[in-house]
């Protein structure tokens, strides 16, 4: 841990849950947390849960003393990687309907395989959303990440912006619904052909969506100013 800190690591996220514990004993994770605390390196704990797995509350109950002053977060399991074939749909925390949230953490990242990816969340590792790889220069990749209509539309409106068009392109929505917006993002972009069509859709529609969003913001702000002015003039009329 000391060496990592000396090399510039500023924070660490460690995972513990039924799935990680198959490979890494929980004592080792607790030891990492203790070591981080000792050298004042920021550490957070992440716990992936399903309806049928262990839960963070139980873990906190057993290891609460070691976790004092540590940010602990329980996150719902998404059906990707091993979970796509090991976890039954009924164990996932899905909600019917289309997730309305915006893209929550679009941060250009480097995967363990050297891929430059748009986020570390569910859809971030999909080949269809790859920005490039580490053999390429980072500055043009970052420009691409910032300018690409697909990432911009995801940031501006969230994956829901693609939902209706995807259905028109043949996408079958999940009957049980989705866990969150990142699950919808994954489901939309996991099919390469559909992903390509959605990229074209983003290229054609992003500027219009941006214009609509600014117009809406401007109209809302303008109405607020008008309301404030009306209130002020009413107050001064009363005081006359
Ligand atoms: S919405 Fe998609 S791009 Fe944004 S953080 Fe989630 S998975 Fe990543």
């Amino acid at each position: 841990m000391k060496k990592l800190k000396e090399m510039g690591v500023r924070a660490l996220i460690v995972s513990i849950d039924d799935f990680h514990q198959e490979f890494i004993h929980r004592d080792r994770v607790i030891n990492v947390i203790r070591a981080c605390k000792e050298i004042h390196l920021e550490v957070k704990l992440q716990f992936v849960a399903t309806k049928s797995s262990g839960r963070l509350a139980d873990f906190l109950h057993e290891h609460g003393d070691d976790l004092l002053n540590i940010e602990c977060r329980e996150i719902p399991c998404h059906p990707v990687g091993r979970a796509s074939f090991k976890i039954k749909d009924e164990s996932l925390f899905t909600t019917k309907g289309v997730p309305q949230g915006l893209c929550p953490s679009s941060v250009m990242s480097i995967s363990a395989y050297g891929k430059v990816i748009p986020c570390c969340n569910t859809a971030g590792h999909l080949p269809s959303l790859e920005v490039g790889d580490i053999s390429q220069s980072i500055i043009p990749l970052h420009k691409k990440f910032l300018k690409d209509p697909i990432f911009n539309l995801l940031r501006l409106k969230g994956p829901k912006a693609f939902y209706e068009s995807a259905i028109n392109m043949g996408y079958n929505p999940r009957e049980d619904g989705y866990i969150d917006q990142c699950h919808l993002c994954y489901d939309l972009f996991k099919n390469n052909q559909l992903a390509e069509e959605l990229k074209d859709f983003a290229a054609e529609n992003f500027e219009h969506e941006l214009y609509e969003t600014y117009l809406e913001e401007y109209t809302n702000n303008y109405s607020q100013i008008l309301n404030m002015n009306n209130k002020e003039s009413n107050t001064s009329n009363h005081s006359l």
Side-chain angles (χ1 to χ4, degrees):
M1 287 302 125
K2 264 187 200 155
K3 275 196 176 163
L4 284 177
K5 195 178 176 192
E6 279 162 18
M7 288 166 76
V9 171
R10 286 187 299 174
L12 211 64
I13 296 179
V14 293
S15 292
I16 184 73
D17 45 57
D18 290 3
F19 313 104
H20 288 86
Q21 214 172 295
E22 245 182 281
F23 303 98
I24 299 173
H25 196 274
R26 59 169 64 186
D27 288 351
R28 302 188 74 171
V29 181
I30 293 292
N31 282 342
V32 168
I33 291 173
R34 284 183 187 148
C36 287
K37 282 171 118 175
E38 212 172 298
I39 60 165
H40 304 290
L41 175 63
E42 188 186 352
V43 60
K44 297 179 182 181
L45 182 126
Q46 196 157 274
F47 194 105
V48 175
T50 70
K51 287 181 186 172
S52 50
S53 73
R55 300 297 297 263
L56 175 62
D58 306 322
F59 187 73
L60 288 175
H61 193 67
E62 275 180 61
H63 296 278
D65 291 358
D66 284 308
L67 298 171
L68 284 169
N69 278 339
I70 300 293
E71 191 181 311
C72 301
R73 188 165 78 116
E74 187 173 52
I75 54 173
C77 177
H78 284 168
V80 296
R82 276 190 306 145
S84 63
F85 54 88
K86 278 193 113 176
I87 307 296
K88 291 187 182 142
D89 255 21
E90 56 265 30
S91 291
L92 300 172
F93 295 102
T94 51
T95 309
K96 286 196 190 293
V98 186
Q100 295 299 306
L102 299 179
C103 172
S105 53
S106 172
V107 177
M108 196 174 91
S109 313
I110 313 284
S111 80
Y113 302 101
K115 303 290 182 195
V116 179
I117 57 178
C119 69
C120 286
N121 281 4
T122 324
H125 295 270
L126 287 173
S128 63
L129 292 183
E130 258 170 43
V131 184
D133 63 61
I134 51 168
S135 68
Q136 297 163 274
S137 171
I138 201 81
I139 292 172
L141 286 179
H142 195 238
K143 280 186 184 160
K144 181 181 169 192
F145 171 68
L146 293 178
K147 284 187 176 169
D148 196 312
I150 197 116
F151 303 131
N152 274 316
L153 194 50
L154 279 168
R155 284 189 284 261
L156 186 73
K157 294 273 172 171
K160 66 177 183 298
F162 296 88
Y163 186 76
E164 290 300 330
S165 304
I167 290 175
N168 293 334
M169 293 167 189
Y171 168 68
N172 285 323
R174 285 173 48 91
E175 271 182 27
D176 293 336
Y178 302 86
I179 296 158
D180 52 26
Q181 63 270 45
C182 293
H183 185 200
L184 171 62
C185 187
Y186 176 82
D187 216 48
L188 290 172
F189 292 100
K190 68 181 181 189
N191 175 310
N192 283 340
Q193 195 189 327
L194 178 60
E196 287 310 310
E197 289 180 53
L198 291 175
K199 282 180 190 176
D200 293 341
F201 165 79
E204 283 162 24
N205 290 279
F206 172 62
E207 280 189 10
H208 174 72
E209 293 288 351
L210 190 63
Y211 171 76
E212 292 283 316
T213 306
Y214 283 152
L215 188 65
E216 198 182 317
E217 269 178 29
Y218 175 78
T219 313
N220 286 341
N221 289 343
Y222 188 65
S223 317
Q224 274 177 12
I225 292 169
L226 274 182
N227 284 340
M228 274 165 57
N229 284 346
N230 284 342
K231 269 186 197 160
E232 271 173 23
S233 73
N234 282 344
T235 320
S236 48
N237 284 344
H238 283 304
S239 58
L240 277 175

